[in-house]
Structure formats: structure tokens, C-alpha cells
Amino acid sequence: DELKEQFGNETDVTMVGATPIITEETREFVHHFIVMTTVSCDKGEIFANFIQREQIFLWAPGHHGMALPQDVGFPLFDSESNQAILIEIHYNNPKLISGKVDSSGVRFHYTKTPRKHKAGILQLGDPFLGLMGEEINDGLTKHEFTCGGTCSSLFLDEPVTVLIESLHMHRTGVRMTNEVIRDGEVYHYASVEVYDFEQQGSFNAQQQPYQLEAGDSFRTTCYY
């Protein structure tokens, strides 16, 4: 309701940047957070699965914000079903400290002038936490995840440009790579060779933008 009151029936509201706001008193407990636009059903309820939510911003330690190119943006209310913005915050409190109140969040920078290109987020690796609960061996352990060319053909009907490639693991992660494979060859390679969650929970690979095409496959490898 607050969003409707602020923007009325405006649909050309485009997010062009975001700044995380982390409460200093509780910073040590804020593990990471995800910001999504949500789709509501006829009864006004918010669906709980990933299909009805679209990520537009993520924060983890070491990430200072996002500024998109001048011709790129995330449309916020480009359909009648996009009626809310949801922020999901994950906390880490192994010492079970009580009495803390957190007010962390995110500040959006937006324009009412549509941008030429629409942005989106693609998750690779283990986005549905399929390995949750699996034990990690002593010493260096490697987990490899693949997304085949058939998979990419489902959501790529034309080439798209990758602006930011962010590699993310958790506390025991030490190294991570992501490969784009085209016609049986590694077309693109990104890596973080020394990873520390406390400093770079979301590591942006140092690289120029590149394009993905339908039929590309992906191989994401995490070392613990």
C-alpha cells in the first residue's frame, strides 16, 4: 500500500542502483540478504516459491552497492502482478546473543524514465540448496555443478550481456570458478582464487562484459 501511495499507477519505475544500509550495532550478525519483487495472487497472498519472485539485488560482506550503466535498469512495477518488494535477511548468531535489534535494509535509486535494456539476475551452482545437510570431507573438498545447453535454451531466446558476475560461497569456501562452455570449449572463465566470506562474501569478477547465447552450458566449481 505504501508503494502504491508513493507511485500511484506509475509502471515506469526503474531501479538503476542500490546502496546497502547495514546497522553497525548488528553488522556482525547480518550474514547476507536478498531483495525481490514479488507476484501476488488474486487473494492478495504472496507466493512462497522462487518462480513467483524475481531477484533484483543481493548483499553480502564486502559488497558496497550497485550502479547500472545509463541505458540499463530493473523495472519494478512493469506488470499489475508486481505489487511488492520483499527483502529476506539471513542472520548468523552462533553464540546465541539476544537483545539485538537490526534495521538493515537497502536504498534504491530509481528513475521514471524507462531504460533501453532490462536487467535480470541468473543464479547458477546450487540456488535451491540441493546440497543442504551434506557433510564436507576433511581437507580440501570440491563440489561441481553444471547447467547444460538445453537448460540455457529455455531462458535465452536471444543473446544477453553479462554486466556483473558475482561469485558467492559461505564461511568455509576458499576458492570458486565459473565457466561458460560453448561448442565443447570453455568460452569464458571467471574465478576468485583466494576467498574469504568475511571480506568478499559476494566477489565481483574483474572482467569486461560478455555475451551469453542459447545453448551455452555452465560449470560452477566450489572449493571448501
Side-chain angles (χ1 to χ4, degrees):
D1 291 337
E2 292 179 4
L3 292 174
K4 289 183 178 180
E5 182 178 338
Q6 181 173 352
F7 296 111
N9 293 321
E10 293 278 357
T11 58
D12 293 329
V13 179
T14 300
M15 187 263 281
V16 297
T19 304
I21 304 171
I22 311 299
T23 304
E24 285 302 323
E25 293 77 10
T26 49
R27 179 180 290 272
E28 64 178 295
F29 306 107
V30 184
H31 187 266
H32 69 260
F33 61 69
I34 306 166
V35 185
M36 298 167 278
T37 57
T38 64
V39 175
S40 59
C41 67
D42 294 337
K43 297 181 180 180
E45 299 171 349
I46 303 298
F47 285 111
N49 60 59
F50 287 94
I51 297 175
Q52 278 76 40
R53 295 179 177 179
E54 182 173 347
Q55 294 185 5
I56 54 177
F57 182 70
L58 303 97
W59 177 88
H63 186 33
H64 301 291
M66 175 182 65
L68 293 170
Q70 293 186 352
D71 58 348
V72 180
F74 282 92
L76 297 183
F77 310 114
D78 54 340
S79 72
E80 292 184 359
S81 59
N82 287 350
Q83 297 180 7
I85 295 174
L86 181 148
I87 178 170
E88 178 181 302
I89 301 182
H90 295 192
Y91 295 98
N92 187 35
N93 186 9
K95 296 181 181 179
L96 302 181
I97 296 173
S98 61
K100 299 293 184 179
V101 178
D102 180 58
S103 299
S104 297
V106 59
R107 177 180 290 113
F108 280 164
H109 307 276
Y110 66 90
T111 178
K112 293 185 178 181
T113 302
R115 294 290 176 94
K116 179 179 179 180
H117 302 291
K118 295 182 179 181
I121 293 178
L122 169 64
Q123 284 184 286
L124 298 171
D126 189 23
F128 296 105
L129 304 180
L131 289 186
M132 180 178 287
E134 181 169 323
E135 293 186 2
I136 295 177
N137 299 326
D138 292 336
L140 188 64
T141 300
K142 179 177 75 172
H143 288 285
E144 186 176 284
F145 308 90
T146 59
C147 176
T150 302
C151 174
S152 67
S153 296
L154 295 176
F155 57 83
L156 286 177
D157 52 7
E158 61 181 351
V160 299
T161 300
V162 177
L163 298 174
I164 301 170
E165 188 168 357
S166 188
L167 306 180
H168 173 73
M169 294 182 293
H170 293 93
R171 190 169 304 278
T172 56
V174 295
R175 181 177 184 264
M176 184 175 179
T177 65
N178 188 53
E179 299 165 277
V180 180
I181 301 167
R182 181 177 298 167
D183 299 326
E185 302 288 338
V186 176
Y187 159 73
H188 172 81
Y189 178 86
S191 71
V192 49
E193 295 299 326
V194 179
Y195 182 87
D196 180 351
F197 177 83
E198 297 297 337
Q199 299 185 50
Q200 55 204 59
S202 182
F203 178 86
N204 290 350
Q206 303 300 303
Q207 60 191 24
Q208 294 297 316
Y210 66 95
Q211 284 200 324
L212 296 178
E213 297 180 357
D216 287 348
S217 59
F218 308 91
R219 181 167 57 226
T220 305
T221 309
C222 302
Y223 298 81
Y224 297 90

